[in-house]
Amino acid sequence: MSSTLPGIVFDLDQTLLDSSALAYLRDNRDWGALGRRLGEVVPFTPAAGGVAPESVPTALYDAGVPVGVLTRSPRWYAEQLIRRFGIRHTALITGSDRYLPKPEPDALVGIARLMGVEAREIVFVGDDAVDHEAASAVQAMAVGVNWAASPMPGWTRFWPDLAVADPDLLLDLGNNLAALGDLVLAGVRARWHWGTLLRPARDVFCCGRYFQTTDIERHRGHPLTALTLRAKNEQAAAEEVGRLMAHAAEAEHWRQNPPTMVVSIPPDPDAEWDRFAPVRPLVAQAFGAIDGAGMLTMNGGVANYKTMSHDARATANRGRFSASTQVSGRRVLVLDDVWTSGATSEACAQALRDAGASKVEVLALSLTQEPRAEFCPECQVYRLCHKTGRRGPFISCTDWRGCGYSRDL
Ligand SMILES: [Zn+2]
């Protein structure tokens, strides 16, 4: 596919090069110390036989693909690193070039212009949710890289169109690498890799993304979002969900230690039907596991659950679920439909562990996505973004140095 790629843009820090040792100097704009310690920026170590991330732009450039490098770091810093590591490129935009910071898409539009391509035709490769959000704002394809192949809670609200943990995949981008749910609904066979299932938290896997109704552009015409909604009420749609989620059993992750029992989030005590009833047996069969119907029960409904914060949900969920002792010693997979804060599935997981389950994992149909960011109420110029600090996640103005607005989540 690389020869047909109209253009590709790379973030620099933590995408092409490992500059984690200097992150706090960049954040504090301590340019003097940053300049003296530039030698501490190192390449990522490729997996055995794989390509190194910083060699990917050059390989694509040599194959005739327009290549951009887009960074918030200063120009002198970017140019020195690009020279030292021999990164060939068509265009470079840095933090010295007076564009609005990501997730504002201005710099992406600017670099597309320099590369002579439409912004929406670009593939934007980055490690941070603000990279994915900027790409999404101009309808460009967002590729998220995570060379550590660890769960990515920081991406949860803005998951990329494609998540990769293997740099080799960047040389061979194709539709068969997308999220499982999108591939199954498009009739495309998955080429399995780390990013085929979304991984918002440890032991949590999602088949794709769910775009909210307020996210008009992305909500409309997204088959997995439509199926997620239909499956809440329609038997036939729930069966389709079961066939889709059964494909998760093909994932390499479960080759060694597959679940031995499949359960599902129980319905409210007053619900008319259990929407997982058609799903669970199909998934259990695909894994060669026991259908754990009735193993998990809800002790009572909670009023206004949907509007509660994560912490309020966690409190309301205490003691809300109970599990049969028949789960004891089993590796249990919990099926969920839309994973939002994770509070419900975590409460179920806790009940299963309390009943003696040896391992509990969650497989959800889709991962709720944040609509495009709202404007900062303080400056009304920049947008808000999600950050994670020492005390946990919070919301801040993207111009946090100038405007400084922030609030707790
Ligand atoms: Zn602001």
Side-chain angles (χ1 to χ4, degrees):
M1 162 150 177
S2 42
S3 59
T4 61
L5 208 55
I8 189 164
V9 174
F10 295 89
D11 168 55
L12 182 64
D13 293 293
Q14 298 317 109
T15 297
L16 295 179
L17 294 168
D18 184 358
S19 58
S20 51
L22 306 182
Y24 72 100
L25 295 177
R26 284 187 288 118
D27 287 347
N28 293 322
R29 310 194 128 203
D30 188 347
W31 307 137
L34 190 65
R36 287 190 298 276
R37 294 177 54 187
L38 216 54
E40 293 176 41
V41 178
V42 293
F44 285 100
T45 315
V51 299
E54 82 279 6
S55 71
V56 172
T58 302
L60 291 170
Y61 181 92
D62 289 345
V65 179
V67 170
V69 177
L70 177 57
T71 175
R72 280 182 73 171
S73 293
R75 180 162 282 274
W76 60 264
Y77 168 94
E79 286 182 340
Q80 282 192 47
L81 292 177
I82 282 171
R83 203 175 312 128
R84 193 201 317 161
F85 292 97
I87 298 169
R88 302 188 72 184
H89 59 283
T90 319
L92 168 68
I93 284 183
T94 70
S96 312
D97 299 327
R98 297 178 174 275
Y99 286 89
L100 291 174
K102 297 176 279 194
E104 297 301 326
D106 305 42
L108 197 54
V109 173
I111 202 162
R113 202 176 296 133
L114 292 177
M115 292 160 65
V117 289
E118 294 285 335
R120 66 170 186 279
E121 294 180 331
I122 275 180
V123 173
F124 186 26
V125 184
D127 67 297
D128 196 293
V130 297
D131 298 322
H132 315 155
E133 192 174 350
S136 147
V138 291
Q139 294 171 292
M141 181 181 175
V143 174
V145 299
N146 171 22
W147 307 135
S150 51
M152 291 302 277
W155 289 4
T156 301
R157 287 159 179 279
F158 250 95
W159 203 268
D161 299 303
L162 168 60
V164 299
D166 174 2
D168 286 82
L169 294 179
L170 296 176
L171 295 172
D172 193 17
L173 292 172
N175 294 332
N176 55 358
L177 295 175
L180 179 68
D182 295 329
L183 295 181
V184 172
L185 293 180
V188 176
R189 213 181 158 76
R191 181 175 159 201
W192 279 94
H193 63 107
W194 176 82
T196 308
L197 293 171
L198 287 53
R199 301 165 189 238
R202 188 167 300 284
D203 297 329
V204 176
F205 304 84
C206 304
C207 298
R209 296 174 293 181
Y210 173 76
F211 299 117
Q212 302 179 55
T213 47
T214 50
D215 195 350
I216 297 160
E217 279 169 49
R218 296 197 297 170
H219 177 86
R220 193 190 308 145
H222 185 245
L224 186 63
T225 294
L227 178 62
T228 302
L229 289 176
R230 279 195 293 121
K232 287 183 188 294
N233 307 305
E234 294 174 24
Q235 169 88 16
E239 286 167 9
E240 190 177 352
V241 166
R243 290 191 296 274
L244 189 159
M245 292 178 86
H247 283 279
E250 298 157 14
E252 200 173 337
H253 171 77
W254 284 296
R255 281 274 156 77
Q256 298 294 325
N257 290 302
T260 58
M261 181 184 277
V262 176
V263 305
S264 52
I265 304 282
D268 276 324
D270 54 353
E272 285 180 22
W273 76 310
D274 175 4
R275 58 183 179 264
F276 293 103
V279 180
R280 208 179 41 244
L282 293 168
V283 177
Q285 189 185 21
F287 278 103
I290 293 170
D291 175 357
M295 290 292 121
L296 203 52
T297 46
M298 189 187 289
N299 302 320
V302 175
N304 304 321
Y305 187 77
K306 280 202 159 160
T307 56
M308 285 180 177
S309 70
H310 176 85
D311 287 351
R313 285 181 175 197
T315 305
N317 278 326
R318 219 162 278 151
R320 190 176 170 208
F321 299 97
S322 47
S324 159
T325 51
Q326 292 176 56
V327 306
S328 180
R330 297 221 165 257
R331 300 177 59 85
V332 180
L333 185 66
V334 184
L335 303 184
D336 195 356
D337 56 354
V338 185
W339 201 87
T340 304
S341 77
T344 304
S345 61
E346 179 46 36
C348 289
Q350 192 55 54
L352 290 160
R353 285 191 291 264
D354 291 347
S358 64
K359 172 84 180 174
V360 182
E361 293 174 303
V362 175
L363 177 63
L365 178 61
S366 51
L367 176 64
T368 301
Q369 294 294 284
E370 189 79 0
R372 176 109 172 88
E374 51 184 304
F375 281 106
C376 169
E378 186 76 25
C379 64
Q380 314 231 343
V381 173
Y382 294 89
R383 290 178 192 258
L384 298 179
C385 62
H386 290 265
K387 291 202 152 105
T388 304
R390 274 197 203 109
R391 291 184 304 149
F394 64 101
I395 288 174
S396 129
C397 178
T398 49
D399 182 28
W400 59 275
R401 287 189 198 95
C403 163
Y405 175 83
S406 76
R407 68 165 189 252
D408 289 340
L409 254 180

